[in-house]
Amino acid sequence: MSQSEAKSYEKTFDKAPSRKMGKRIGKSFDKSPTKSGVKKPYKKPFVPVDEAEKTRSFVQKRRFDKLAKETPKESIRLNKYIANSGICSRREADDLITQGLVEVNGKPVTEMGYQVQKTDRVVFDGQGITPEKPVYVLLNKPKGYISTTKDDKARKTVLDLVANASPYRLFPVGRLDRSTTGVILLTNDGHMTKKLTHPSFAMKKIYHVTLDRKLDRADLNMIQEGIRLEEGIAEVDSISYIEGKPKNEIGIELSIGWNRVVRRIFTKLGYEVELLDRVLFAGLTKKNIKRGHWRILTDLEVNTLKMI
């Protein structure tokens, strides 16, 4: 740079505005008062119409995509169908499919990625399954309700008590007769229902029995040894008087699932069962559940049932 050019540059620099209190250099707005003494109001930047439309379209698309995910589709991959039913994970479902253990409309399917339609019937281990989220409801059943999904005589059923427990249709696991009270499980998990009610799994059940009179010690011992009924010998796991209660109140534990078996055992010996209350089924109790009320099982309880 020549000497003359340097002097010219210094003059130009001296004329540049200096930093003063309340001012910002460059294109940022000036905080100093306007000529009228009033600060200029901040105006929202103008957004072109096409940009606004683009923003609205993006929001609408996100909402649409969310609704699309929630809306049931006409078809679903078979492994996802099985996983949604609660039987196992998708990876485990792939193994079941490749082994030919899953049937669709009566035929084994081993094709990976097979699409199942809404109208298809899917069967695993001889039990029909649905892609619904599994729901497990524990009910403390009161008297006067039958353990069926419907009744030709229009009597009250346990489903009336759990009508608001699930968006899906539930089914009772096993049965308690109309006069019997206590714990009963309801679910839409057909595979779990089959497992908990199959004789080979021998689900433990405990009942609180109230008789019309005191139970003789000799009769208690006979029940412990086994009482012969129509199906064979009714074996019980244990039986005893309830501590602190009269001798007509008995606790009995058994694993057999014969129809009305507890009542028939005592009837065989000449006793009448006045009250029968199931206090435990498959490790589940009615603790903290009022009569006629229900609760959803915890994840820990569900996992425990699956490991049985």
Side-chain angles (χ1 to χ4, degrees):
M1 181 182 296
S2 65
Q3 189 174 359
S4 59
E5 288 175 339
K7 290 181 179 180
S8 176
Y9 179 80
E10 288 176 358
K11 291 180 180 180
T12 304
F13 182 81
D14 290 340
K15 292 179 180 180
S18 61
R19 291 179 179 269
K20 295 183 180 180
M21 187 65 65
K23 287 183 175 292
R24 293 176 66 90
I25 305 302
K27 296 182 180 180
S28 58
F29 66 89
D30 190 351
K31 289 186 178 180
S32 61
T34 60
K35 294 180 180 179
S36 60
V38 180
K39 187 184 293 185
K40 294 180 180 179
Y42 174 72
K43 293 184 179 181
K44 187 176 181 180
F46 172 75
V47 179
V49 176
D50 57 337
E51 290 294 330
E53 289 295 334
K54 187 183 296 184
T55 301
R56 278 196 294 269
S57 298
F58 176 74
V59 173
Q60 292 295 334
K61 185 177 185 304
R62 288 188 61 183
R63 291 177 180 173
F64 179 84
D65 291 343
K66 184 177 180 181
L67 290 174
K69 291 179 180 179
E70 296 174 353
T71 304
K73 298 181 179 179
E74 292 297 325
S75 63
I76 182 175
R77 286 173 65 98
L78 182 56
N79 63 346
K80 184 177 180 181
Y81 187 105
I82 297 170
N84 288 353
S85 70
I87 293 176
C88 58
S89 66
R90 287 197 194 185
R91 182 171 296 180
E92 292 170 332
D94 287 336
D95 294 336
L96 297 177
I97 295 170
T98 55
Q99 294 174 36
L101 300 178
V102 182
E103 295 183 358
V104 179
N105 299 327
K107 297 180 179 180
V109 174
T110 57
E111 176 188 343
M112 303 304 296
Y114 184 87
Q115 294 287 325
V116 182
Q117 305 298 318
K118 285 183 177 180
T119 55
D120 291 340
R121 174 173 169 75
V122 181
V123 174
F124 168 69
D125 195 22
Q127 183 71 37
I129 59 177
T130 62
E132 299 175 350
K133 180 181 178 180
V135 179
Y136 307 90
V137 179
L138 193 64
L139 170 69
N140 187 353
K141 177 187 171 298
K143 274 188 176 181
Y145 290 81
I146 59 175
S147 304
T148 57
T149 54
K150 59 181 179 179
D151 183 59
D152 296 335
K153 299 179 181 179
R155 292 175 294 182
K156 295 180 291 186
T157 73
V158 290
L159 295 184
D160 296 327
L161 297 170
V162 297
N164 298 323
S166 167
Y168 309 120
R169 187 182 181 187
L170 301 177
F171 300 87
V173 179
R175 291 190 177 187
L176 293 179
D177 60 52
R178 192 177 183 186
S179 300
T180 301
T181 60
V183 60
I184 185 171
L185 180 65
L186 298 100
T187 181
N188 60 338
D189 187 342
H191 188 69
M192 178 70 74
T193 299
K194 180 178 179 180
K195 183 171 74 170
L196 295 180
T197 55
H198 197 278
S200 63
F201 287 94
M203 286 297 106
K204 181 188 295 185
K205 298 171 281 287
I206 298 178
Y207 293 86
H208 180 171
V209 186
T210 303
L211 304 174
D212 60 337
R213 57 189 174 89
K214 294 180 180 179
L215 178 65
D216 293 338
R217 171 62 69 175
D219 290 336
L220 185 146
N221 292 336
M222 288 182 63
I223 295 173
Q224 182 66 68
E225 293 174 2
I227 297 294
R228 179 171 291 279
L229 299 176
E230 295 177 3
E231 298 91 336
I233 302 297
E235 298 180 350
V236 303
D237 300 326
S238 65
I239 181 172
S240 65
Y241 299 108
I242 297 178
E243 186 177 354
K245 297 289 184 179
K247 297 297 184 181
N248 68 324
E249 295 193 36
I250 312 299
I252 182 170
E253 177 184 322
L254 69 168
S255 302
I256 55 177
W258 301 346
N259 185 38
R260 297 172 62 88
V261 62
V262 176
R263 293 183 184 275
R264 289 193 291 143
I265 286 174
F266 289 100
T267 300
K268 183 80 172 183
L269 299 177
Y271 295 90
E272 181 181 344
V273 176
E274 293 184 339
L275 296 174
L276 183 59
D277 186 47
R278 186 161 72 178
V279 298
L280 181 142
F281 171 72
L284 303 170
T285 71
K286 59 178 184 174
K287 183 180 179 181
N288 299 328
I289 307 178
K290 296 180 180 179
R291 190 81 74 199
H293 290 235
W294 53 267
R295 69 173 177 83
I296 302 294
L297 292 191
T298 64
D299 292 339
L300 178 60
E301 289 171 325
V302 173
N303 291 334
T304 301
L305 289 178
K306 290 181 178 181
M307 290 188 294
I308 293 177

